Amino acid sequence: EPYRRQRQMCIRDSYETIFIERPIAIQGTIFERLVSEGRFGPCDTQLTAVQFHSPMLMLMERQSEAREAREFCRAHTEAFNALHGKES
């Protein structure tokens, strides 16, 4: 029983790192660059990263079909860019 609990905690921690913490950190870095280049308006880049990534995580949790996931990601990214991006 203790081994099982330890294994479950390790899996949970790995999942959080791989699918939540790392993508949000990477996306935050991308948004920092977009803001510094003037392509995105000033914002809290870490909060913006969470706002961008959250629907993607929900999509993963639903275990959507690949085609549906691609369409959702494209539409979400376009809407997000329209909201936050600056016109060139």
Side-chain angles (χ1 to χ4, degrees), residues 58-85:
M58 290 170 33
L59 182 68
M60 286 174 26
E61 289 293 322
R62 280 193 359 222
Q63 298 179 356
S64 300
E65 295 293 324
R67 182 175 180 209
E68 177 189 5
R70 279 192 303 274
E71 290 173 9
F72 174 85
C73 290
R74 182 192 51 74
H76 172 62
T77 301
E78 287 176 3
F80 197 86
N81 285 337
L83 180 65
H84 293 283

Side-chain angles (χ1 to χ4, degrees), residues 12-28 46 49 53 57:
R12 184 198 69 222
D13 292 347
S14 295
Y15 177 87
E16 289 176 3
T17 298
I18 293 168
F19 294 107
I20 300 171
E21 295 169 3
R22 282 185 187 162
I24 289 173
I26 291 167
Q27 196 65 54
Q46 291 304 308
H53 186 66
L57 183 60

